[in-house]
Amino acid sequence: MKVPFSWLTEYCDPGLEPEQVAELLSMRAVEVERVTRIGVPSTDGFVVGRVISAERHPNADRLRVCEVETGEGVQTVVCGAPNVAAGQTVAMALPGSVMPDGSKLKKAKLRGVVSNGMILSERELGLSDEHEGILVFAGEHEPGVRLDSVLPIVDAVLELDLNPNRVDCMGVYGVAREVHAITGEPLADPPWDLDAEATGSDGVETLASVRVEVPRLCPRFSARAFTGVEIRSSPAWLKARLTAAGMRPISNVVDITNYVMLMTAQPLHAFDLDKLPGGELIIRAASEGEKMTTLDGVERSFDSETVLVCDREQPAGIAGIMGGLVSEVSDETSRVLLEVATWNGANILRTSALLGLRSDASARYEKQLHPELALRAQRLASRLLVELCGATLEPGTIDVTAEIPERHRITLRGERADSLLGVELAVEESTQHLARLGFDPAPHAGVDIEVTVPVHRHYDVTREVDVIEEVGRLHGFDKLPRTLPAHAALVGGLSPEQQGRRRAEDVMRDLGFDEIVAWAFVDPSLADRLRLPAEDRRRSAIATANPISKELSQMRTMLLGGLLDAVRHNVARGAQRVCVFGSGRIYLPERPAEASENEVDAAIGVLAGSFAGRIASPALEPHRIGAVAIGGLAPDSWVTTQTEVEAAGFFALKGALEVLATQLGGAVAFVAATEPFLHLGRAARVEADGRAIGWIGELHPLVSRAWDLPPANAFELDLAPLLAAAAAGNEVYEDVTTFPAVLQDIAVVIADDVSAQRVREAALAGGGELLAAADIFDVYRGVQVGENRKSLALRLEFRASDRTLTDAEVTAVRKRIEEELARLGGSLRG
Amino acid sequence: MLARIESLRIDGSAAIAAAPDVAALEELRVRLLGRKSELTSILRGISKLEPSERGPVGSGANAARAALEAELEDRLVELEGAEVERSLVGESIDVTLPGAPPVATGHLHLLTRTRREIEDVFVGLGYRVLEGPEIEHDFYNFTALNHPPGHPARHAQDSFYVDPATLAEGVVNDHGLAPGPQEVLFRTHTSPMQVRAMESQAPPIFIIVPGTVYRRDTIDATHSPMFRQVEGLAVAEGISLTDLAGTLEHAAKALFGTERKTRLKPDYFPFTEPSVQVDVSCFACEGSGRLADGTRDSLCKGSGWIEILGAGMVDPNVFGFVEGAYDPETTQGFAFGIGIERVAMLKHRIPDLRLFFENDVRFLGQFA
């Protein structure tokens, strides 16, 4: 909403600069986004002039040489406008004036005649786009009068950023009321108080009729008839106001409807009565698929909830949104039917969204206007039509009204207001604020106030708390003291899960990974690029019904896609080593577990996708952590050779994952497995507490190729089960110092296809309780161990918690280990 | 004899002090104290002396020997030390070459770091951290937050809706909610957790809710279809707007510096009443609107104030949607919502929202 400052101060003038008024409005009422200056940089040199004579220029057919009375003598001015004529009262710029574009007007010789100034068009003054001819006053001003005293040739415009609850401030008078409430400066009487005199002889009832078929969607429809209307250009002051408010002047009748809307917030529509067959209007719901061409020349099609204003034969406008071409006011119009209606706001909003069509009218109607406003607008518009268009108002007003809502009466309890605002407000102060806002406050039981909500705030202020906001804001929210709540009984903090997640993220960072944040939306083609087979459940993604684009239309079921996109971005920009991780949710079409009774206290289960609340969430959103590494985990440096860096592959990332688990106080196991997007021989399932929680592996070469990447390794895990299996913070002491351990190294020669895991598990099985650890520390393949065989070196740690082991005991245990290894086909070497 | 011993000791001391290196010192040890040395032969010949001479000569020779041994040892330490020092000279390295860290320096994403900063401020004030679903029922996202169907605010936040055919069966209808194409959506704010939290716990309740939210905006420098918020909710007896003002001023100072001031302006949110916008005094121009060089501060657009968040007292209608312990007539509380991206952009002068989602390591690496 653009509010011309000169217009605003006509109704309430606090004698302040526009910027000061803007600041007050922002702090106490409605946000003023910016203040812009329009018009001429300085008003000096701009005066009213009277053309004494206008003769053809001796040397140019299209120029006139005029003698103009300027108050300080008669000046000779050369003018190119076709409409200049003797006797006109015009706007003049004398030499030295600075024009709106910043250029300075000088005396100039035009085809041999010296011109002492310029007769101005509306466009030259920034008042409108009119430049066909000069601005001609109706004759009411004396020559020599400063132009800025009769026209707003310089002005400021306050641009309001209005919230949907303040439709009253979509009218200049509403904003003036706020300035009045804030400053206490007098507010001029409402411009709609006086009505025009109905001097016609026909009466509206004989000229027109209205039938409302949908009273629920049209609480009020009023219409007045005007005859003898002279369509012409609006006077300069009206054009100036509309232009400053951001609207284009068209013709007097249309300009008046716009002006009244900008003043009152109530939209109006003028019909050419002669183009309405029989003067009939029918307000009805559209039939499904019905079509009409709107004023903007677009043919539109409607659904059955759309309300149309129709003549006897066809639709004449979309209710509350836009008129139609058929009965538009034109230069030939001489009889006008003026519609001022009240529509159902929710329906206007719905229809406007459906059609993708918003207008100045719909922006007001959609916020719901009170039916009372319609008659205010009728009165003000009638006066202007009579005054500016020479129209005759026909007696009577067609007024088809459903129920007019009663004004709300609310009791404001002083105690409640003080408790909510946290300060004690004097009854006198609150009363004054409410009186200025038009709430008719009356004292009630000493400290309370009874108010009657004015119609322009009817839908915004309905409860005591809304009235408290009114007195609070006018008192000044910025004046409130700062206090902290007293709530000693409460304990804050992160849940163990949230602490665990922070720790997991910190470990990844400390291992040299950069955290990325990826889109939760993915392209449906991602599943193909990851080679997911048709039956893979990760293809069942939750989809957006109204995506911005296909690329962002599904919700991710894995973190991997986003991680790969981030790696590609960096590799494409020359990064050699990219190690990134992500910590975030995936979105699955599964039913989450119902939250436990005391979810807020426990705060457990959030990472698994179980949230507080009576109704379970519609989808499952478990938290995951995933990583992709290209190049070595260790940074490239002048000490490291390139080969060392490249050597870091699967096992480097596996090591990082093991560190992650260990740092969380848990352990993970790895079982050879396949995933469609991983190298079939270099992939594993990751388990915690015997439960699958994710995967790790080298990316399938075709997947790497799809993202233009060199070989890369990746993992992805569910965080909740990893943390559930972790004991960080709850470790129990184990005595490892009183009785020393016996360490022995063995080398097991075994077939290549027996996994290290199986060898280690066999050793642990044979070792029983006395074998505390069996760690693989070397792998050897070569002629000495034979083809398709390998040698695994294990360090065995024998220990008992209650005695020092004897050689005989160790030998016996070791024999059982050898037996277990032999079952796998292994033999000890050396 | 005693004089000879004394002269042997004096000459020996001088020779030890003059020994140039460890090898010369070893030769000297042999010459002075070895089996063939004069001192050794004096000691060996004691038995052949007169009995009266044996005592003084023996003790004199032993003392001389002990003194020389001690001097040899001291000189050896001295010479060895000097020799190690000499050898180290050849092992010099250029200590100004870069270090070779065992692991690279990783980074948390700035949004994670900023979220944690905000969390820690409120944890310090006694708040707990809750998280809620991003895919949400219309009931929690709009209806229970006092956005009835047809309310203009529903359209102010253009929503992404979920294609119901892609959800698990029954997640909507089983709760008696109206099944429709717009029943399930991507939450447009973190506020739905206000109601979820209150359904799970009676007052007093002090929580914050960090999380991802979605609006149907096209991506540009200041808009993203996906961004992050931290919701706050405090409900307890007698909580007032001044408590909201004090809490948020504390948070603004903690996040943007202790010299910051805050101001509250009227605003509108359907689920708070009164509603306020909170501005913080600009930290680039110290609230003056002009930078040190006199130019207009672009961060606060010359106003000296920066809008950081929206807040207000919880609307009684919201309490009315919570079944149970929240009587709209008597319950009071405040709520607020902070944009994580916004805080990070302001604090670190990040000009373009897209930088957060591009994940360029040259960007990520700027924030420790």
Side-chain angles (χ1 to χ4, degrees):
Chain A
M1 172 76 188
K2 290 182 172 178
V3 180
F5 193 67
S6 60
W7 188 353
L8 176 68
T9 49
E10 184 185 329
Y11 290 91
C12 181
D13 185 2
L16 300 169
E17 288 297 308
E19 286 75 12
Q20 293 172 302
V21 174
E23 173 83 2
L24 283 173
L25 283 169
S26 288
M27 295 306 296
R28 300 280 189 272
V30 293
E31 177 85 16
V32 179
E33 214 172 8
R34 67 177 72 84
V35 179
T36 49
R37 301 277 172 172
I38 56 169
V40 299
S42 159
T43 56
D44 291 346
F46 291 90
V47 295
V48 172
R50 180 163 298 143
V51 183
I52 298 166
S53 65
E55 302 298 332
R56 174 162 297 173
H57 192 293
N59 306 323
D61 283 353
R62 297 171 64 184
L63 295 178
R64 305 288 178 101
V65 179
C66 307
E67 295 300 315
V68 185
E69 170 59 54
T70 64
E72 294 175 22
V74 176
Q75 303 290 344
T76 302
V77 177
V78 178
C79 180
N83 65 331
V84 68
Q88 287 172 333
T89 306
V90 296
M92 276 271 314
L94 298 173
S97 308
V98 184
M99 303 302 291
D101 66 3
S103 64
K104 197 168 184 174
L105 196 67
K106 293 178 188 140
K107 266 189 202 182
K109 194 179 264 187
L110 291 169
R111 297 276 182 107
V113 178
V114 174
S115 180
N116 280 320
M118 185 170 166
I119 303 177
L120 301 162
S121 71
E122 290 175 11
R123 190 162 74 170
E124 279 154 348
L125 280 167
L127 297 182
S128 77
D129 277 344
E130 185 63 52
H131 62 287
E132 286 299 308
I134 52 161
L135 187 166
V136 181
F137 290 113
E140 65 271 38
H141 308 302
E142 283 305 308
V145 168
R146 288 176 64 90
L147 195 57
D148 57 307
S149 69
V150 300
L151 268 187
I153 59 169
V154 59
D155 205 353
V157 177
L158 310 188
E159 288 184 39
L160 308 189
D161 181 16
L162 284 176
N163 283 314
N165 61 327
R166 293 307 302 270
V167 65
D168 61 307
C169 287
M170 296 187 87
V172 172
Y173 191 80
V175 183
R177 189 188 293 111
E178 289 295 329
V179 175
H180 162 67
I182 297 165
T183 64
E185 290 297 328
L187 177 68
D189 287 341
W192 53 75
D193 276 359
L194 296 177
D195 206 343
E197 200 184 335
T199 56
S201 50
D202 290 339
V204 65
E205 306 283 353
T206 65
L207 297 171
S209 68
V210 172
R211 190 171 83 241
V212 177
E213 292 183 357
V214 282
R216 184 179 62 83
L217 300 176
C218 177
R220 177 169 233 164
F221 193 100
S222 73
R224 283 184 171 185
F226 299 84
T227 51
V229 178
E230 294 163 32
I231 302 290
R232 54 177 176 245
S233 173
S234 293
W237 67 266
L238 177 52
K239 286 184 182 175
R241 285 196 169 173
L242 291 180
T243 305
M247 296 193 92
R248 201 164 57 86
I250 295 164
S251 69
N252 51 1
V253 172
V254 177
D255 291 353
I256 287 167
T257 61
N258 284 331
Y259 178 75
V260 174
M261 175 182 74
L262 290 173
M263 179 77 95
T264 64
Q266 168 69 55
L268 314 84
H269 183 73
F271 291 98
D272 184 334
L273 185 52
D274 291 313
K275 291 187 191 151
L276 294 176
E280 280 178 55
L281 284 178
I282 302 110
I283 290 76
R284 61 165 172 86
S287 49
E288 194 75 38
E290 190 169 354
K291 291 186 172 64
M292 188 194 88
T293 303
T294 40
L295 276 177
D296 52 7
V298 179
E299 186 181 60
R300 297 173 190 275
S301 145
F302 312 114
D303 70 350
S304 60
E305 290 280 293
T306 307
V307 179
L308 299 177
V309 178
C310 307
D311 63 28
R312 202 162 58 194
E313 288 155 10
Q314 58 188 328
I318 313 169
I321 299 176
M322 194 171 274
L325 279 173
V326 196
S327 42
E328 194 188 358
V329 170
S330 70
D331 289 350
E332 285 73 48
T333 300
S334 67
R335 300 196 306 158
V336 164
L337 187 69
L338 185 66
E339 164 207 325
V340 188
T342 311
W343 305 105
N344 175 298
N347 188 54
I348 298 294
L349 179 64
R350 186 208 69 89
T351 304
S352 152
L354 192 76
L355 296 173
L357 178 62
R358 283 188 104 232
S359 63
D360 290 302
S362 75
R364 289 166 171 82
Y365 277 129
E366 71 185 23
K367 297 174 180 77
Q368 192 62 58
L369 299 171
H370 192 280
E372 195 56 41
L373 303 183
L375 296 188
R376 294 180 174 179
Q378 282 285 12
R379 290 196 293 270
L380 176 56
S382 298
R383 264 176 40 222
L384 290 167
L385 283 165
V386 169
E387 234 172 78
L388 304 179
C389 311
T392 302
L393 171 61
E394 295 298 328
T397 304
I398 295 175
D399 187 11
V400 184
T401 308
E403 205 178 330
I404 306 265
E406 279 216 19
R407 289 172 68 182
H408 304 296
R409 298 175 75 85
I410 300 169
T411 305
L412 172 66
R413 292 167 295 173
E415 200 182 319
R416 178 74 165 154
D418 294 350
S419 167
L420 206 61
L421 296 173
V423 286
E424 283 186 26
L425 292 189
V427 178
E428 295 74 26
E429 184 192 338
S430 301
T431 305
Q432 187 182 62
H433 293 319
L434 292 166
R436 287 176 182 168
L437 288 172
F439 280 71
D440 299 335
H444 183 83
V447 290
D448 299 343
I449 303 170
E450 194 171 282
V451 300
T452 309
V453 179
V455 293
H456 57 267
R457 301 295 300 281
H458 182 84
Y459 297 95
D460 174 27
V461 179
T462 59
R463 306 160 303 167
E464 181 185 22
V465 67
D466 303 321
V467 182
I468 293 174
E469 178 172 63
E470 297 302 303
V471 298
R473 71 176 171 90
L474 285 175
H475 172 74
F477 289 145
D478 56 327
K479 284 197 284 192
L480 294 178
R482 272 48 172 163
T483 57
L484 285 177
H487 58 280
L490 286 174
V491 178
L494 296 173
S495 70
E497 268 192 321
Q498 290 165 335
Q499 290 173 10
R501 180 176 54 201
R502 279 199 183 186
R503 182 151 185 171
E505 291 164 352
D506 288 349
V507 170
M508 291 307 294
R509 174 198 61 196
D510 294 345
L511 285 166
F513 288 76
D514 283 331
E515 186 194 6
I516 63 134
V517 166
W519 297 107
F521 303 113
V522 295
D523 189 322
S525 76
L526 175 64
D528 295 332
R529 280 178 290 143
L530 288 175
R531 311 176 71 247
L532 298 182
E535 69 284 3
D536 195 303
R537 71 186 182 86
R538 288 168 294 203
R539 274 187 178 270
S540 306
I542 294 170
T544 315
N546 54 341
I548 297 177
S549 66
K550 185 170 153 290
E551 290 70 35
L552 299 173
S553 65
Q554 282 190 351
M555 294 303 275
R556 66 186 178 197
T557 59
M558 301 174 69
L559 300 185
L560 182 60
L563 286 162
L564 291 175
D565 290 346
V567 174
R568 173 170 58 193
H569 171 93
N570 286 292
V571 167
R573 280 152 189 81
Q576 301 281 315
R577 171 197 171 278
V578 184
C579 298
V580 293
F581 80 100
S583 170
R585 293 184 184 175
I586 59 167
Y587 309 84
L588 305 173
E590 294 170 31
R591 307 186 68 146
E594 298 283 336
S596 70
E597 270 295 293
N598 221 349
E599 188 66 43
V600 175
D601 279 334
I604 284 288
V606 164
L607 296 187
S610 170
F611 306 111
R614 190 170 52 84
I615 305 170
S617 61
L620 187 64
E621 304 176 24
H623 197 99
R624 291 201 148 192
I625 194 156
V628 173
I630 279 182
L633 289 193
D636 204 0
S637 80
W638 63 276
V639 183
T640 335
T641 68
Q642 199 55 42
T643 14
E644 283 167 336
V645 169
E646 280 171 0
F650 176 87
F651 293 105
L653 195 66
K654 180 180 174 183
L657 177 49
E658 286 169 329
V659 170
L660 172 64
T662 313
Q663 288 277 26
L664 295 172
V668 283
F670 298 82
V671 181
T674 56
E675 285 283 5
F677 43 85
L678 296 179
H679 186 305
L680 62 87
R682 298 181 176 183
R685 183 170 68 240
V686 182
E687 296 181 348
D689 266 354
R691 181 181 153 194
I693 63 165
W695 50 262
I696 182 170
E698 183 176 313
L699 284 188
H700 194 287
L702 294 178
V703 172
S704 297
R705 192 193 292 170
W707 269 266
D708 304 317
L709 300 180
N713 284 278
F715 71 74
E716 190 170 324
L717 310 173
D718 280 320
L719 195 52
L722 180 65
L723 290 173
N730 298 310
E731 298 89 345
V732 175
Y733 169 74
E734 184 193 354
D735 180 4
V736 293
T737 52
T738 309
F739 302 104
V742 176
L743 296 177
Q744 284 189 4
D745 293 349
I746 60 170
V748 185
V749 177
I750 200 158
D752 228 349
D753 61 359
V754 181
S755 75
Q757 176 91 341
R758 287 179 69 197
V759 171
R760 185 170 167 270
E761 279 168 1
L764 288 169
E769 278 186 5
L770 296 180
L771 183 63
D775 295 329
I776 295 163
F777 66 91
D778 194 23
V779 183
Y780 172 77
R781 289 183 182 82
V783 280
Q784 287 160 298
V785 293
E787 207 173 320
N788 296 327
R789 292 177 82 72
K790 64 189 169 192
S791 168
L792 291 177
L794 282 83
R795 173 151 301 159
L796 305 178
E797 184 184 337
F798 300 94
R799 188 169 62 229
S801 59
D802 55 353
R803 64 189 187 279
T804 302
L805 293 176
T806 63
D807 285 350
E809 279 178 304
V810 172
T811 307
V813 174
R814 197 176 142 150
K815 189 157 180 297
R816 286 201 297 277
I817 293 172
E818 284 174 32
E819 285 164 10
E820 285 294 330
L821 291 170
R823 281 177 207 267
L824 292 180
S827 58
L828 293 200
R829 188 157 72 104
Chain B
M1 183 65 82
L2 287 172
R4 181 61 193 154
I5 290 169
E6 181 59 13
S7 103
L8 279 173
R9 195 190 67 76
I10 289 167
D11 293 349
S13 282
I16 288 166
D21 55 32
V22 175
L25 196 69
E26 278 311 309
E27 276 175 32
L28 204 54
R29 181 193 299 279
V30 172
R31 186 155 64 75
L32 294 175
L33 303 177
R35 276 187 294 123
K36 291 175 180 166
S37 67
E38 192 174 346
L39 208 53
T40 304
S41 55
I42 290 173
L43 280 165
R44 213 177 271 144
I46 283 179
S47 57
K48 292 167 189 157
L49 297 177
E50 288 300 315
S52 63
E53 278 183 276
R54 284 181 198 164
V57 169
S59 62
N62 272 324
R65 185 186 173 88
L68 288 172
E69 270 177 351
E71 281 171 30
L72 276 167
E73 198 48 43
D74 288 351
R75 181 66 184 153
L76 181 66
V77 169
E78 199 178 310
L79 286 174
E80 272 181 350
E83 258 169 51
V84 170
E85 294 293 316
R86 265 198 302 284
S87 73
L88 292 187
V89 170
E91 295 172 17
S92 294
I93 55 170
D94 178 357
V95 297
T96 65
L97 278 169
V103 291
T105 308
H107 304 85
L108 292 182
H109 197 283
L110 182 59
L111 293 177
T112 298
R113 211 183 74 173
T114 307
R115 190 195 75 220
R116 290 189 185 184
E117 281 175 39
I118 298 169
E119 285 174 353
D120 290 347
V121 169
F122 287 97
V123 162
L125 286 169
Y127 287 64
R128 271 168 307 149
V129 181
L130 291 201
E131 291 163 55
E134 294 168 28
I135 295 174
E136 186 56 284
H137 295 286
D138 174 278
F139 173 76
Y140 286 114
N141 195 76
F142 286 133
T143 306
L145 291 169
N146 199 28
H147 295 62
H151 194 285
R154 284 187 169 225
H155 289 259
Q157 303 171 2
D158 207 353
S159 313
F160 283 115
Y161 293 97
V162 173
D163 176 356
T166 62
L167 288 168
E169 267 182 47
V171 289
V172 175
N173 298 349
D174 286 6
H175 297 286
L177 300 170
Q182 304 196 334
E183 166 49 33
V184 175
L185 73 165
F186 299 88
R187 65 175 174 193
T188 56
H189 43 191
T190 41
S191 314
M193 271 310 279
Q194 288 187 24
V195 176
R196 286 185 170 274
M198 288 192 282
E199 285 176 343
S200 306
Q201 190 195 314
I205 184 168
F206 284 74
I207 56 159
I208 57 163
V209 186
T212 306
V213 302
Y214 303 84
R215 305 231 178 126
R216 206 168 171 283
D217 282 325
T218 312
I219 307 159
D220 64 23
T222 54
H223 294 86
S224 167
M226 180 183 135
F227 57 99
R228 283 148 196 77
Q229 285 185 336
V230 178
E231 189 80 6
L233 175 71
V235 181
E237 208 183 323
I239 283 224
S240 72
L241 193 56
T242 61
D243 292 330
L244 169 65
T247 300
L248 294 177
E249 177 151 298
H250 172 84
K253 285 173 184 285
L255 292 172
F256 296 108
T258 50
E259 319 80 49
R260 300 285 82 80
K261 295 187 193 68
T262 55
R263 70 175 188 185
L264 272 57
K265 299 154 77 168
D267 205 336
Y268 171 76
F269 306 104
F271 46 103
T272 51
E273 186 83 13
S275 301
V276 294
Q277 175 190 314
V278 180
D279 292 354
V280 64
S281 59
C282 182
F283 32 86
C285 63
E286 299 291 334
S288 69
R290 304 242 151 233
L291 297 175
D293 61 6
T295 56
R296 180 172 169 274
D297 180 8
S298 60
L299 191 65
C300 63
K301 301 188 181 75
S303 73
W305 294 95
I306 298 171
E307 179 185 342
I308 51 163
L309 60 88
M313 302 304 290
V314 178
D315 193 289
N317 289 2
V318 176
F319 292 135
F321 277 103
V322 181
E323 295 173 0
Y326 292 81
D327 177 2
E329 253 305 295
T330 54
T331 312
Q332 285 183 200
F334 65 71
F336 58 85
I338 310 175
I340 298 180
E341 279 85 354
R342 176 150 182 83
V343 170
M345 289 175 89
L346 289 171
K347 263 190 95 158
H348 304 281
R349 314 280 204 277
I350 291 162
D352 192 323
L353 197 51
R354 287 169 289 203
L355 287 164
F356 289 125
F357 309 110
E358 237 174 42
N359 296 305
D360 193 303
V361 292
R362 294 165 297 183
F363 171 78
L364 300 175
Q366 290 178 30
F367 308 98

